[in-house]
Amino acid sequence: MRVDNVSRRAMKVSTIGVAVLLVVPTAAKALSWDIFSVIDSTISKDIGGALQSVNSIQNSLRQDEQQLLFPVALINQSHNYIHTIVTSYRSWMTGVFALPINSAQLPGSQALESVFLSGSSSSIGNLDSVYNASYGGVPPATAAPQAHRHMMDMDDALAKDSLAQSVAADQVSGNLLQIANHIESEASTTAPGTADILSATARAAELEGLASQHKLLAAMLREEAANLAHHNGVLKQSVGQAQQLNNNLQGTLGQ
């Protein structure tokens, strides 16, 4: 009798457990689907609607920028205009800058001319030898008065300095032409907002050119000053020679 009661109680507990196991997964499954539905609704409706509004605002701002700040049609028109100029004139100007201007006939003169027309500062090291080959060096002390030797040496030094400065200036000019071509090419394809960068590059190149021009102007001023000093030195020597001649005449008459 007790065994039957125990068996019946066990069977009831098993039946209740099976029922619970059958009901609980169904409830959990329903709960999970409800959560995903809420998340999907939030993403598609709330967040999705906000993103659509943001995209709409961005598109409106982009259209305003293209119409007011960076008009695409005018930018393309300017690009085409610059491209036309580059195509029409760059090759012609390159040919003009490359025109041969050397005219020396003798080998020594040609060597000197090739140095100061080279446009490369690396050739300045050969300037002294080819200059002396064309114009000669300072005569020895037994061949000329000391004052004449000093003047000739100074004139040669100033001439060499100016020639070297002109070679360096030609090299700077060549670099500036390359920078100008690069800026010109960039201007035909540059995007809106980068014009200030190109302008700054052009300004820096302009300052470099002005510095080179100032150096050439200083060299010209030195040449003019040396020319005045040379003429003044000749006058001083003439006065000294006249004074010496006067002293010699007085000494002769005194005898």
Side-chain angles (χ1 to χ4, degrees):
M1 202 58 190
R2 291 180 180 178
V3 175
D4 293 337
N5 292 333
V6 172
S7 299
R8 289 176 182 175
R9 289 177 181 176
M11 291 177 64
K12 289 181 180 180
V13 171
S14 300
T15 303
I16 293 171
V18 171
V20 171
L21 291 175
L22 292 174
V23 172
V24 170
T26 303
K29 184 177 181 180
L31 180 60
S32 64
W33 280 112
D34 291 339
I35 292 174
F36 286 125
S37 298
V38 172
I39 294 174
D40 182 69
S41 177
T42 302
I43 294 175
S44 61
K45 293 181 180 180
D46 298 335
I47 300 177
L51 289 176
Q52 290 179 357
S53 299
V54 171
N55 290 333
S56 178
I57 294 173
Q58 288 181 345
N59 291 331
S60 298
L61 291 175
R62 189 178 299 109
Q63 290 177 0
D64 291 339
E65 289 179 352
Q66 291 178 354
Q67 293 176 0
L68 300 177
L69 298 178
F70 310 115
V72 178
L74 293 179
I75 292 174
N76 291 334
Q77 183 178 355
S78 63
H79 286 172
N80 294 332
Y81 177 71
I82 296 173
H83 180 73
T84 301
I85 294 177
V86 172
T87 304
S88 301
Y89 293 101
R90 177 176 293 183
S91 59
W92 178 79
M93 290 300 297
T94 301
V96 171
F97 288 125
L99 286 175
I101 58 175
N102 54 311
S103 56
Q105 301 293 319
L106 300 178
S109 302
Q110 290 176 350
L112 175 61
E113 189 179 37
S114 65
V115 170
F116 63 72
L117 291 181
S118 63
S120 175
S121 58
S122 61
S123 63
I124 295 178
N126 301 325
L127 179 60
D128 189 71
S129 60
V130 294
Y131 179 91
N132 291 338
S134 296
Y135 294 103
V138 178
T142 56
Q146 188 67 15
H148 289 180
R149 296 179 69 247
H150 280 303
M151 292 176 62
M152 287 184 286
D153 186 30
M154 196 64 216
D155 290 344
D156 285 340
L158 287 169
K160 294 175 184 178
D161 293 343
S162 296
L163 288 174
Q165 188 64 58
S166 68
V167 173
D170 286 342
Q171 182 173 353
V172 172
S173 298
N175 294 335
L176 291 177
L177 286 175
Q178 292 179 1
I179 295 174
N181 290 336
H182 176 72
I183 294 175
E184 195 175 49
S185 299
E186 289 292 328
S188 63
T189 58
T190 185
T194 59
D196 293 339
I197 299 176
L198 294 179
S199 298
T201 305
R203 289 294 183 182
E206 183 180 5
L207 291 176
E208 184 179 0
L210 289 175
S212 178
Q213 291 179 11
H214 289 167
K215 287 186 176 181
L216 288 176
L217 179 61
M220 293 175 61
L221 292 175
R222 286 193 295 269
E223 285 290 335
E224 290 296 328
N227 189 29
L228 292 174
H230 182 88
H231 286 290
N232 194 28
V234 172
L235 292 176
K236 292 176 182 178
Q237 293 179 17
S238 299
V239 172
Q241 292 173 358
Q243 185 65 36
Q244 183 65 36
L245 178 61
N246 186 31
N247 293 336
N248 293 337
L249 289 175
Q250 288 181 359
T252 302
L253 293 175
Q255 294 177 357

